[in-house]
Amino acid sequence: VEFDIHRNILSSANVCSIRIYNLNQDTRNQIRKDQFDQTDFRVVTFSAGYGDNLSLAFKGNISMAWSVREGVDFVTTIECFDGGYDFINSQSSVSFPADTPQQVVVESLVSDLKNLDKGAIGEIDGSIPKGNTYDGPTADLLVDVTGGQTGSSFFVDNMKANCIGPNECIEGDIILINAASGLLGTPVIENQYINFDMLFEPGVAIGQLVKLESLTADI
């Protein structure tokens, strides 16, 4: 198996590409999916790690899948989007009176993402000053309500809809990242971001706290 996974806290679907070698023909035929068939909703769960210690690296829906022969190998490619089906298909049409808390608005819109679980929803301050109707693609409405009005961040990770503020994080064990645990090279600070490479660690969750130690960088 080869894989390429991109996960982030941006308001767009995370992506994953998986290449599997030499499945039998029946399995290849079962996996195949036409990218234009939007009625065929299928979920892929991909776990990885070392030995029997496997962690969930990606969960999302298959957008398309096909198999081709490359030399002596049959290669099956699966392209996936995390929450992509709901980004495209989920719709909302709800109305709220004046002074409705923004928290209520966000919770209601998240519930319209029918194929996603509710993830971490932080403390969302404020209320709408006047009655308002929210009508349109649910993901677009959530992006507008959170990023545009509350300062929070709406994102989907492993088929869970999350909305956390700039000073909030996903609960979980704090992972220590240093040379002993897989840090490679020197971390680079760019404005408000720290970029670094490390050995494969699928247990890291998007939006969680980590502790980074480096002997070669002033962080």
Side-chain angles (χ1 to χ4, degrees), residues 20-37:
I20 308 173
Y21 284 77
N22 297 319
L23 296 171
N24 63 53
Q25 183 173 350
D26 288 342
T27 303
R28 297 198 303 267
N29 291 341
Q30 291 178 47
I31 291 176
R32 183 186 180 279
K33 182 183 183 304
D34 189 328
Q35 64 174 321
F36 298 108
D37 185 357

Side-chain angles (χ1 to χ4, degrees), residues 1 3 19 24-25 57 70 72 101 107 120-121 156 173-174 210:
V1 177
F3 59 93
R19 285 165 52 91
N24 63 53
Q25 183 173 350
E70 297 181 2
V72 298
E107 297 266 4
I121 307 297
V156 174
D173 295 333
I174 298 177
V210 299

Side-chain angles (χ1 to χ4, degrees), residues 71-200:
V72 298
D73 296 312
F74 281 97
V75 182
T76 300
T77 301
I78 306 173
E79 299 289 349
C80 319
F81 290 94
D82 185 358
Y85 186 89
D86 283 83
F87 272 91
I88 296 172
N89 296 293
S90 291
Q91 297 285 321
S92 294
S93 182
V94 290
S95 299
F96 300 96
D99 299 322
T100 298
Q102 292 280 15
Q103 185 93 29
V104 173
V105 175
V106 170
E107 297 266 4
S108 175
L109 292 174
V110 166
S111 68
D112 286 338
L113 299 169
K114 302 302 184 183
N115 296 293
L116 303 180
D117 294 326
K118 178 181 174 182
I121 307 297
E123 296 294 328
I124 301 173
D125 298 327
S127 58
I128 58 177
K130 60 181 180 180
N132 198 2
T133 297
Y134 298 85
D135 186 68
T138 305
D140 291 346
L141 294 172
L142 279 165
V143 171
D144 180 62
V145 169
T146 56
Q149 300 174 31
T150 70
S152 300
S153 175
F154 161 70
F155 65 97
V156 174
D157 186 50
N158 284 338
M159 298 194 73
K160 291 184 178 180
N162 305 279
C163 181
I164 60 176
N167 297 314
E168 295 178 318
C169 64
I170 305 294
E171 291 186 4
D173 295 333
I174 298 177
I175 295 179
L176 174 62
I177 300 174
N178 56 24
S181 65
L183 178 65
L184 303 174
T186 300
V188 177
I189 301 175
E190 297 180 352
N191 296 321
Q192 299 181 19
Y193 296 92
I194 300 177
N195 298 314
F196 61 90
D197 295 325
M198 67 176 299
L199 295 177
F200 180 58

Side-chain angles (χ1 to χ4, degrees), residues 43-91:
V43 174
V44 60
T45 299
F46 185 79
S47 297
Y50 302 96
D52 294 328
N53 185 23
L54 302 181
S55 297
L56 179 63
F58 184 87
K59 183 178 180 180
N61 60 279
I62 300 174
S63 59
M64 57 181 173
W66 68 95
S67 298
V68 296
R69 184 168 182 172
E70 297 181 2
V72 298
D73 296 312
F74 281 97
V75 182
T76 300
T77 301
I78 306 173
E79 299 289 349
C80 319
F81 290 94
D82 185 358
Y85 186 89
D86 283 83
F87 272 91
I88 296 172
N89 296 293
S90 291
Q91 297 285 321

